[in-house]
Amino acid sequence: MADTLEFNDIYQEVKGSMNDGRLRLSRQGVIFKNSKTGKVDNIQASELAEGVWRRVALGHGLKLLTKNGHVYKYDGFRESEFDKLSEFFKAHYRLELVEKDLCVKGWNWGTVRFGGQLLSFDIGEQPVFEIPLSNVSQCTTGKNEVTLEFHQNDDAEVSLMEVRFYVPPTQEDGVDPVEAFAQNVLSKADVIQATGDAICIFRELQCLTPRGRYDIRIYPTFLHLHGKTFDYKIPYTTVLRLFLLPHKDQRQMFFVISLDPPIKQGQTRYHFLILLFSKDEDISLALNMNEEEVEKRFEGRLTKNMSGSLYEMVSRVMKALVNRKITVPGNFQGHSGAQCITCSYKASSGLLYPLERGFIYVHKPPVHIRFDEISFVNFARGTTTTRSFDFEIETKQGTQYTFSSIEREEYGKLFDFVNAKKLNIKNRGLKEGIKQSYDEYADSDEDQHDAYLERMKEEGKIREENANDSSDGSGEETDESFNPGEEDDDVAEEFDSNASASSSSGDGDSDRDEKKPAKKAKLAKDRKPRKKLLESKKGKDPNAPKRPMSAYMLWLNASREKIKSDHPGISITDLSKKAGELWKAMSKEKKEEWDRKAEDARRDYEKAMKEYGVGSSS
């Protein structure tokens, strides 16, 4: 007997929609991973109470009931797989897999039974249909009648909106059968009712999607977004993931809530709720509960009175109520030292964050792509300018995402990140010996990073600079075509524009797609350089003496390391600003010292040029 059973192309019924994924049965329990969202359902073997096998629309189905009343339905099995599953259940779960047929008589008069999260309509001992009560959005009563309304399913072509039950009057005194029926439904239904006071309220928060300023009222089972025009009630059960992302300017923070199903405004669907906070904004928060209730419910994750940055308080409260980890950027650092890359997606500028297990783009439109759903990535030549490139991602479902107008300085960092994550890169394929090591059933949420510990981490080391980068390159910057091969020869094959030009390296990998890159390389080759660039290249002699540096540049090269040590973690841009301020504030006497050094350097240069002129003329 095998210790595990695995099934592909299995469908899980959730709120009226069928989500495809992979199912694994093991000694420890049952795991289902949703292919669309990456969400993982994990049922422990000790929680299983009953297993039912029955014929359904998609072949045969498996219904699992747990001891706490939850019901899980999986369809898409073949009839021949019953014996294998039955033996597995007996051996590892000590359960009998029961065969139950649905009643197909077509009668509409029967008995309603409530069991756990299910309403079952039976004729005799056979069920006709079952309704998961979590699908119910509203329950109303009339004379001898109960009406159930259901959550709208945007993915389904046809969606059941309501069912009405006729409940005959009974002779029992003091018990209204209609009210009893409704109470049984409401006790398990996903009906949002703002009863009682909110646990806490955050006022006038800036929301990017949906756009506007909203009050967020936090209730035990849902959050209420209250704006001037629209209201949204979001159950915590619809929250897939939480993200806390620092803005590139280091002064603001994004807090992103991923939702499935999304919230709706007319025909618009919002799969992400994005809040923007200033790091400087603080708040003192008092929960509308006594200390014993707070301790009992949140087990130390929250306290009755808290204070700190506004974004910290919101994320901390959400983390405690939703009971999910907060995903933060990993160890990626771009060219400027930021943990994100500025780019454009669908003509809108935004920020792309490489995470430990995926990419997320904010903010319009927001996109989250998990590594386990990526087929390959591609570094492509920028279409509008030679100083940028495009980063393309194609998923296993065939969906393409193109993030354009990325500065070419980011190429090396992004390529190293993609390479380290063992993602397949187009035109090269996987390197020999490298295989994607993602667990097919691992939850795609990042568990190794905690947003509140992240604050204690250093921002990371700033990229090491060349001491003479400013002096040597200050007068020679040109608008040559973007050629990543000049920066890193061993990765030049990844750029279409340079693939044919790098054939001398001896790599055979680029031969696979030789035709397409050759066209792009030809375009770059045919482009005429500017006249000045041509003249400067013709007249330049590598043996000629280098121009002398100014007093400021001499001082900067001597002081660079001291500024870095005085301001740990300072970015290159901020270092330049700080240096300018220090130079401006320097006394006249100290500046004269560097002026003398610059004058000496100029004399040495003139002397060297005279000797060079004599040598070259002879």
Side-chain angles (χ1 to χ4, degrees):
M1 169 66 64
D3 286 343
T4 59
L5 292 178
E6 293 196 15
F7 302 92
N8 296 323
D9 300 324
I10 298 299
Y11 293 85
Q12 182 190 36
E13 184 183 328
V14 179
K15 294 199 173 180
S17 62
M18 304 302 288
N19 299 322
D20 69 306
R22 297 165 61 91
L23 183 71
R24 175 195 282 172
L25 284 76
S26 66
R27 289 174 179 271
Q28 291 75 32
V30 179
I31 300 174
F32 178 82
K33 183 166 184 179
N34 189 319
S35 297
K36 180 184 174 184
T37 64
K39 189 177 180 181
V40 174
D41 283 331
N42 198 336
I43 312 167
Q44 297 296 322
S46 57
E47 295 176 7
L48 291 171
E50 185 182 351
V52 177
W53 176 269
R54 58 191 179 180
R55 185 172 180 80
V56 292
L58 296 171
H60 287 75
L62 181 65
K63 183 176 81 168
L64 301 177
L65 289 84
T66 62
K67 293 173 182 176
N68 57 9
H70 287 96
V71 179
Y72 300 88
K73 294 180 181 179
Y74 305 103
D75 296 354
F77 296 95
R78 293 188 295 272
E79 187 176 3
S80 58
E81 290 170 332
F82 171 73
D83 293 335
K84 183 167 59 174
L85 282 165
S86 181
E87 289 177 19
F88 193 91
F89 270 68
K90 283 179 186 175
H92 298 306
Y93 305 148
R94 297 179 183 176
L95 286 177
E96 191 77 33
L97 191 58
V98 182
E99 286 189 87
K100 279 188 182 179
D101 292 328
L102 294 173
C103 179
V104 291
K105 288 183 177 180
W107 296 2
N108 64 348
W109 188 267
T111 306
V112 169
R113 293 188 176 91
F114 292 93
Q117 298 282 338
L118 277 183
L119 178 158
S120 177
F121 184 80
D122 300 348
I123 294 176
E125 294 298 318
Q126 289 183 299
V128 178
F129 60 83
E130 294 173 338
I131 298 174
L133 293 176
S134 59
N135 290 10
V136 176
S137 64
Q138 194 56 266
C139 177
T140 55
T141 59
K143 185 179 180 182
N144 299 333
E145 190 175 83
V146 178
T147 303
L148 306 185
E149 296 178 21
F150 303 104
H151 291 290
Q152 185 179 347
N153 178 18
D154 296 321
D155 297 328
E157 293 181 9
V158 179
S159 189
L160 180 65
M161 297 308 297
E162 80 173 30
V163 171
R164 293 183 184 181
F165 293 94
Y166 173 76
V167 183
T170 60
Q171 303 301 320
E172 296 178 22
D173 293 333
V175 179
D176 184 351
V178 172
E179 283 300 319
F181 188 112
Q183 286 305 314
N184 273 317
V185 171
L186 288 170
S187 64
K188 303 290 184 183
D190 189 13
V191 178
I192 298 175
Q193 294 176 321
T195 54
D197 295 328
I199 294 174
C200 61
I201 301 175
F202 298 101
R203 304 279 184 188
E204 290 288 310
L205 298 186
Q206 184 180 353
C207 199
L208 299 182
T209 57
R211 193 169 183 81
R213 292 231 170 228
Y214 290 86
D215 292 346
I216 295 187
R217 295 185 171 91
I218 304 291
Y219 288 91
T221 59
F222 69 97
L223 66 90
H224 182 192
L225 233 66
H226 177 69
K228 292 180 179 178
T229 312
F230 299 103
D231 271 21
Y232 303 96
K233 292 176 182 175
I234 305 172
Y236 298 137
T237 53
T238 67
V239 176
L240 274 182
R241 294 176 186 84
L242 303 172
F243 301 89
L244 191 60
L245 309 168
H247 196 284
K248 195 169 185 177
D249 62 11
Q250 299 299 323
R251 295 193 297 270
Q252 300 177 98
M253 297 289 290
F254 293 110
F255 185 58
V256 184
I257 303 172
S258 173
L259 303 171
D260 184 46
I263 55 176
K264 298 181 282 289
Q265 181 179 306
Q267 294 301 310
T268 308
R269 304 288 180 264
Y270 296 105
H271 289 85
F272 293 89
L273 179 64
I274 302 180
L275 302 170
L276 183 63
F277 298 95
S278 169
K279 280 188 173 182
D280 300 332
E281 199 170 352
D282 295 333
I283 188 175
S284 294
L285 189 66
L287 301 186
N288 191 20
M289 304 167 72
N290 60 48
E291 291 183 2
E292 291 77 15
E293 289 174 331
V294 172
E295 179 61 33
K296 183 179 178 181
R297 180 179 174 89
F298 301 113
E299 299 174 349
R301 289 173 293 174
L302 297 179
T303 55
K304 179 172 173 57
N305 296 295
M306 297 179 290
S307 61
S309 299
L310 178 58
Y311 75 88
E312 266 198 349
M313 292 298 102
V314 173
S315 55
R316 188 175 171 185
V317 169
M318 284 297 298
K319 180 185 177 186
L321 283 160
V322 177
N323 200 23
R324 284 194 171 273
K325 287 279 186 180
I326 294 181
T327 304
V328 297
N331 52 14
F332 173 84
Q333 272 198 328
H335 172 70
S336 63
Q339 292 179 299
C340 56
I341 294 171
T342 303
C343 62
S344 296
Y345 176 64
K346 290 190 176 179
S348 294
S349 182
L351 299 171
L352 179 67
Y353 290 83
L355 308 173
E356 286 302 307
R357 298 187 186 177
F359 295 97
I360 187 168
Y361 172 84
V362 289
H363 79 99
K364 193 175 179 180
V367 177
H368 178 234
I369 310 167
R370 310 186 313 274
F371 288 158
D372 58 9
E373 62 179 336
I374 293 176
S375 176
F376 63 82
V377 300
N378 184 37
F379 294 85
R381 173 70 173 272
T383 54
T384 57
T385 175
T386 59
R387 303 186 62 79
S388 67
F389 66 95
D390 295 350
F391 182 56
E392 300 169 352
I393 298 175
E394 183 162 325
T395 66
K396 292 170 183 174
Q397 286 76 35
T399 309
Q400 288 188 337
Y401 301 91
T402 301
F403 302 98
S404 58
S405 304
I406 303 174
E407 293 179 0
R408 68 178 181 180
E409 287 81 9
E410 302 285 6
Y411 171 77
K413 296 282 189 180
L414 184 57
F415 179 86
D416 290 344
F417 175 83
V418 168
N419 210 31
K421 295 300 178 185
K422 302 177 183 177
L423 296 178
N424 193 5
I425 301 175
K426 193 178 180 183
N427 295 341
R428 180 193 68 169
L430 287 172
K431 277 188 179 176
E432 204 171 319
I434 293 181
K435 291 184 179 178
Q436 288 178 311
S437 56
Y438 302 114
D439 183 352
E440 294 285 357
Y441 296 91
D443 198 336
S444 55
D445 289 337
E446 176 50 51
D447 295 326
Q448 298 172 6
H449 292 267
D450 192 299
Y452 311 108
L453 294 176
E454 191 69 14
R455 260 190 48 183
M456 308 303 293
K457 292 182 181 179
E458 294 182 10
E459 289 187 359
K461 294 180 181 178
I462 297 297
R463 189 182 177 203
E464 193 63 35
E465 295 179 79
N466 184 343
N468 294 319
D469 58 352
S470 304
S471 57
D472 291 350
S474 59
E476 298 179 13
E477 189 175 345
T478 64
D479 285 335
E480 289 180 275
S481 297
F482 176 23
N483 190 348
E486 293 176 3
E487 297 173 18
D488 198 346
D489 289 334
D490 63 342
V491 299
E493 310 301 336
E494 307 317 317
F495 258 87
D496 291 343
S497 59
N498 196 43
S500 60
S502 60
S503 58
S504 60
S505 66
D507 261 357
D509 293 331
S510 60
D511 294 341
R512 297 175 191 165
D513 284 319
E514 196 72 23
K515 292 180 182 177
K516 280 189 180 177
K519 281 187 179 179
K520 290 192 176 180
K522 189 177 179 184
L523 289 173
K525 189 177 179 183
D526 291 341
R527 185 172 292 167
K528 293 182 180 179
R530 288 189 293 184
K531 202 170 184 181
K532 283 185 181 179
L533 176 62
L534 199 62
E535 290 172 1
S536 66
K537 281 192 172 181
K538 281 183 180 178
K540 187 175 178 181
D541 185 347
N543 297 319
K546 290 186 178 180
R547 289 182 176 278
M549 285 187 278
S550 65
Y552 171 76
M553 290 310 302
L554 287 169
W555 169 82
L556 178 60
N557 282 343
S559 309
R560 193 187 307 271
E561 293 305 320
K562 186 177 185 304
I563 297 173
K564 280 186 179 180
S565 62
D566 292 344
H567 302 84
I570 191 170
S571 68
I572 296 169
T573 309
D574 292 338
L575 187 146
S576 300
K577 289 180 182 176
K578 189 67 181 175
E581 292 169 5
L582 293 172
W583 177 258
K584 193 175 180 180
M586 192 181 293
S587 65
K588 188 177 179 182
E589 292 77 19
K590 287 187 177 180
K591 280 187 181 179
E592 284 176 354
E593 178 186 343
W594 291 103
D595 287 335
R596 285 194 298 273
K597 289 182 180 181
E599 183 63 25
D600 292 341
R602 189 183 64 78
R603 289 198 196 96
D604 292 342
Y605 171 73
E606 288 174 353
K607 183 179 177 182
M609 280 300 291
K610 285 179 183 177
E611 293 173 359
Y612 169 75
V614 172
S616 59
S617 61
S618 62

